Amino acid sequence: MSKKQFIPLLEEKGIKLSTKQEEQFFSYFQLLVEWNEKMNLTAITEVDEVYMKHFYDSLSAAFYYSFQPGQRLIDVGAGAGFPSIPLKILFPELHVSIVDSLKKRIHFLEHLAAELELTDVSFYHDRAETFGQNPLHREAYDIATARAVARMSVLAELCLPLVKKNGDFLAMKGAGGAEEVADASKALSLLGGEVVCDYHFRLPIEESERHIIHIKKNKPTPKKYPRKPGTPNKASL
């Protein structure tokens, strides 16, 4: 996908970017490449690949989920800001928060938000397990997102404690997403989640398999979850 193809391919999905939004995405690309020379943010730095595998891929959540103004979104382990910063560019009235365990990435995201003139964005340097037990954030968000962070049984323990009852968890996965959902059925139920749909598609042109797994939180998460840092990964539910 070339930068020029990005716009019409989004328009095919009913998404039309303003000139300002197009400029924000290009600035995002430039800053990503610039900072990537100083720290490891991404292995993908070629312009067409960034637009396809980072920007378009992040925005694909909006093909299936109806984001609403004023919703509070928490992105767990967003790395260089995916998917939440592209979604924030597309939907400026979302309140976006990111939690990440690496301070250097938080510095990049703070700089990025300032350069792109994004408002109502917050960045937290913390482990997701600790963050999920913080009363200020626990069950405080309408939506949680995570993209390529961990297998579903682990992700559910990190993300669902942050989501309000009747809120949504959008897990963005590649090939194998359906198997991960099946393996995580016990964990999802235990943590208060229920799968609404597994949206399965392929990225344009390159045909990589993608899954967006929409999980509705229908009951509170038991207080013991998430467990101590490192435990979910070592002993998944």
Side-chain angles (χ1 to χ4, degrees):
M1 176 188 290
S2 69
K3 187 162 80 75
K4 287 183 180 178
Q5 289 172 303
F6 180 63
I7 306 302
L9 282 168
L10 287 179
E11 288 178 349
E12 285 178 14
K13 298 293 185 179
I15 294 171
K16 181 161 179 61
L17 299 181
S18 67
T19 301
K20 179 182 178 181
Q21 288 169 323
E22 289 182 33
E23 290 169 352
Q24 285 174 310
F25 276 112
F26 188 60
S27 296
Y28 194 167
F29 161 71
Q30 291 177 308
L31 288 163
L32 182 69
V33 172
E34 177 190 332
W35 278 63
N36 204 58
E37 293 177 359
K38 300 179 278 186
M39 57 185 286
N40 182 28
L41 288 168
T42 178
I44 298 168
T45 55
E46 195 275 322
V47 61
D48 291 354
E49 287 209 333
V50 170
Y51 270 77
M52 165 67 81
K53 294 183 178 178
H54 284 327
F55 296 164
Y56 185 92
D57 193 25
S58 293
L59 294 180
S60 65
F63 304 164
Y64 304 101
Y65 183 86
S66 180
F67 292 92
Q68 300 298 317
Q71 282 180 314
R72 296 188 70 202
L73 181 151
I74 180 72
D75 194 0
V76 176
F82 307 116
S84 54
I85 298 298
L87 288 169
K88 174 65 178 176
I89 292 171
L90 183 60
F91 301 108
E93 293 179 348
L94 280 178
H95 298 274
V96 166
S97 296
I98 291 175
V99 57
D100 197 276
S101 61
L102 194 64
K103 188 69 173 173
K104 287 193 291 188
R105 281 198 292 256
I106 295 293
H107 284 152
F108 165 71
L109 292 168
E110 289 171 339
H111 179 76
L112 176 69
E115 290 293 310
L116 299 185
E117 299 180 342
L118 302 178
T119 58
D120 290 322
V121 288
S122 303
F123 306 105
Y124 301 96
H125 174 227
D126 202 352
R127 291 287 298 257
E129 297 95 328
T130 310
F131 193 76
Q133 289 290 358
N134 185 328
L136 295 176
H137 298 283
R138 187 176 180 86
E139 302 195 326
Y141 295 90
D142 301 295
I143 310 161
T145 59
R147 177 177 175 260
V149 174
R151 62 193 184 278
M152 179 62 78
S153 54
V154 177
L155 268 190
E157 186 171 353
L158 301 181
C159 294
L160 280 171
L162 297 167
V163 179
K164 295 175 180 176
K165 186 181 176 185
N166 298 319
D168 299 289
F169 169 32
L170 304 176
M172 304 182 73
K173 292 285 184 181
E179 292 81 3
E180 284 194 41
V181 172
D183 291 343
S185 60
K186 176 187 168 187
L188 290 169
S189 176
L190 181 63
L191 297 161
E194 182 179 5
V195 176
V196 174
C197 195
D198 175 2
Y199 300 104
H200 175 217
F201 65 102
R202 292 186 180 274
L203 286 179
I205 303 164
E206 65 152 46
E207 294 289 304
S208 295
E209 183 179 348
R210 293 290 187 269
H211 293 259
I212 296 174
I213 299 148
H214 179 187
I215 295 156
K216 175 68 72 176
K217 183 164 179 178
N218 52 28
K219 59 185 179 183
T221 301
K223 290 182 180 179
K224 64 190 266 188
Y225 303 109
R227 293 166 291 168
K228 291 179 181 179
T231 304
N233 218 28
K234 291 175 188 170
S236 59
L237 296 171

